[in-house]
Structure formats: structure tokens, C-alpha cells
Amino acid sequence: MDLQLSGKVAVVTGASKGIGLAVTRTLLAEGARVVAASRKSGAGLDELAGDGLVHVPVDLMDPEAPGRVVARAVEEFGGLDILVNNAGGPPPGVRLPRFSFLAPTDEDWREMFEFNLFSVVRAVRAAIPAMLRRGGGAIVNVSSGSARQPAPMNVDYNAAKAGLHNLGKALSEEFGPQGIRVNTVSPGPVRTAWWTEEGGAADIIAAQAGTDRDTVMDSVAPEMMKLTTGRLVDPQEVADVIALLVSPRSGSTTGADVAVDAGFFKAV
């Protein structure tokens, strides 16, 4: 299916690995031009180098960074059609999960909201004028199934992502009539560096459960989170949904929250 993305200009945050890298690869394959934002590049992003890709090294905890990324897209490619706010999860230097509401400090809460909510607010604020000059656009905010599934774990992260859901709905109402569609994608646990890297979630849970990292990802985490499919989500599965949502083929989809969560969220 042709997603009609050829020639479109996209900004993807958190683009050097995981979901962001999969989104960047998919959009490039569909003919879009991509400005990829991340603190540093990586082997996967370097492999995609070409005329249609620009990497902008930024720390999105810097309030000025989202605006610089959008400005670079306009400078390099003449405008902006697509914004994928994928960057999120543990702020730099933070390890999750935290197992109690009492664990994060005030500073932890501030950092979590800066990275997972305020950076999105700033990116959208910068992107909307550029999109309006093109007659519209599409924004996808990557949230989490945990935004709708309260639990005594990662409470600060879950709260920030819940705010992202509300933000997306509000943006879709205000800017939908002006041609800007805003949707949310809520992954479940995805097999990304958050889980797989040394000291990541799998190692932390393994230490609690008295097992090893691979066993956590292959069986303990799917069982603990009651995943219907019995496995963690693959990043490409999330990227495929995002690519469809930013496509003109989804022209009547706005204000939606799409779960790609292996059956994590059970409520009706």
C-alpha cells in the first residue's frame, strides 16, 4: 500500500534506536525526508545516511532544543509535514522501573515531566506554525499503555504519559479544523534499549526475581504484565502503525489513541 508520504518532511525525536529508529527507517523507505533528533547518532541511524536524512544532535531536556530541531527541518527541506514525538522513557541517567510512589523525589518528577511531556509541548508549539504554512500536517505522540493502567510502579512516568493523552486530544480539537491531525500511539513493553541494555529494566527486574535478563524478557515480563501475545512488542510493529497514522491514508483519524501493546491494556 502506498502511504503517499513521498516528499513529505518529518521530524522524529528519539530517532537513534528502538521505536524512533524504526520510524525513521520506515518513513525514509516511503520516500519521506526525515530530520532525526537524538542526543547522539548510532550505528543503525548511520546506516540510513543519505540525502533524505539529517541528524540533529540535541538533548530534549534543553527547553530550546525542540524548536531548533523544527527550525532545522524548515531550513533543510523547506517546511514540515510530520512530527513524531517518540523520545521518552527514563530521562538521561535514570534507571526504571521504580517500585513505589515513595521512590521518586521532587527532582525526579520534574525531570520525568520535562522529558516525557514538556519536550513534546515545546516540539508541537514549534511545529504547528510550520505545518500551518504548508496547509496542515500530522502529529503522533508516542505514549504508553501505562498511562491508562495505574500501578504502583513508575508512577511519575505514568502520570507524565497520561498528560500526553490529554494534550493530544486537546490539540486534535483545536487544530483539526486547520488541517493538523494529532494522534497518540500507546505501546506496551517494547524490546528496546530500555529493557535490553545493561542495567536496564530487564536487569532490574531480574535482580528482584532472582533470574537473568533474557528470562525476564522472554517469560517473566510477559507473564507479569499479562501480555496476551506472550511476548514483548517489536519496535517495527509500533513504527508501522505510526507510519499509517501520519499518512494521508489516515485522513479521517484524529484524536485517537492506538494501542500497540501485546494485549497489555485490558479495560473496555
Side-chain angles (χ1 to χ4, degrees):
M1 179 172 67
D2 180 9
L3 294 182
Q4 301 173 10
L5 293 174
S6 182
K8 299 290 188 182
V9 179
V11 162
V12 180
T13 66
S16 64
K17 55 188 177 181
I19 295 171
L21 178 60
V23 170
T24 299
R25 184 185 298 113
T26 302
L27 294 181
L28 287 170
E30 291 292 331
R33 295 169 289 178
V34 180
V35 173
S38 61
R39 287 192 298 277
K40 58 184 180 180
S41 188
L45 197 56
D46 291 343
E47 290 174 2
L48 301 176
D51 292 342
L53 176 66
V54 173
H55 176 244
V56 180
V58 291
D59 180 355
L60 292 172
M61 298 286 280
D62 174 2
E64 304 300 319
R68 290 200 299 271
V69 176
V70 170
R72 185 68 180 276
V74 174
E75 175 187 341
E76 292 285 341
F77 298 124
L80 181 65
D81 305 294
I82 296 164
L83 171 63
V84 180
N85 286 305
N86 166 71
V94 173
R95 298 294 186 186
L96 296 181
R98 297 186 178 112
F99 293 102
S100 170
F101 164 77
L102 298 176
T105 65
D106 279 3
E107 184 59 27
D108 292 329
W109 277 86
R110 279 190 288 269
E111 288 185 350
M112 192 66 72
F113 270 67
E114 279 286 344
F115 192 40
N116 287 278
L117 182 59
F118 298 155
S119 68
V120 174
V121 169
R122 293 164 182 144
V124 172
R125 186 186 293 138
I128 282 176
M131 288 183 173
L132 290 176
R133 288 194 294 270
R134 304 268 275 196
I139 298 172
V140 170
N141 298 323
V142 179
S143 181
S144 168
S146 297
R148 296 181 179 272
Q149 188 77 30
M153 180 187 292
N154 302 330
V155 177
D156 49 347
Y157 171 78
N158 300 346
K161 290 301 192 182
L164 195 58
H165 280 239
N166 191 288
L167 173 66
K169 287 284 190 181
L171 291 169
S172 71
E173 284 295 304
E174 180 173 358
F175 295 102
Q178 300 175 66
I180 298 177
R181 296 183 298 107
V182 184
N183 291 291
T184 302
V185 170
S186 294
V190 182
R191 194 178 279 264
T192 64
W194 179 344
W195 286 87
T196 62
E197 69 185 2
E198 185 175 354
D203 281 349
I204 293 171
I205 294 172
Q208 292 277 327
T211 185
D212 60 83
R213 180 190 309 170
D214 289 338
T215 301
V216 166
M217 289 187 288
D218 291 342
S219 60
V220 174
E223 291 171 11
M224 177 180 69
M225 303 181 79
K226 297 181 173 63
L227 303 184
T228 305
T229 65
R231 63 173 177 84
L232 302 186
V233 179
D234 186 272
Q236 188 62 51
E237 294 170 329
V238 184
D240 289 343
V241 171
I242 292 171
L244 180 59
L245 285 173
V246 301
S247 163
R249 302 294 289 264
S250 296
S252 290
T253 304
T254 191
D257 173 29
V258 182
V260 189
D261 66 358
F264 168 68
F265 184 63
K266 307 295 186 186
V268 175

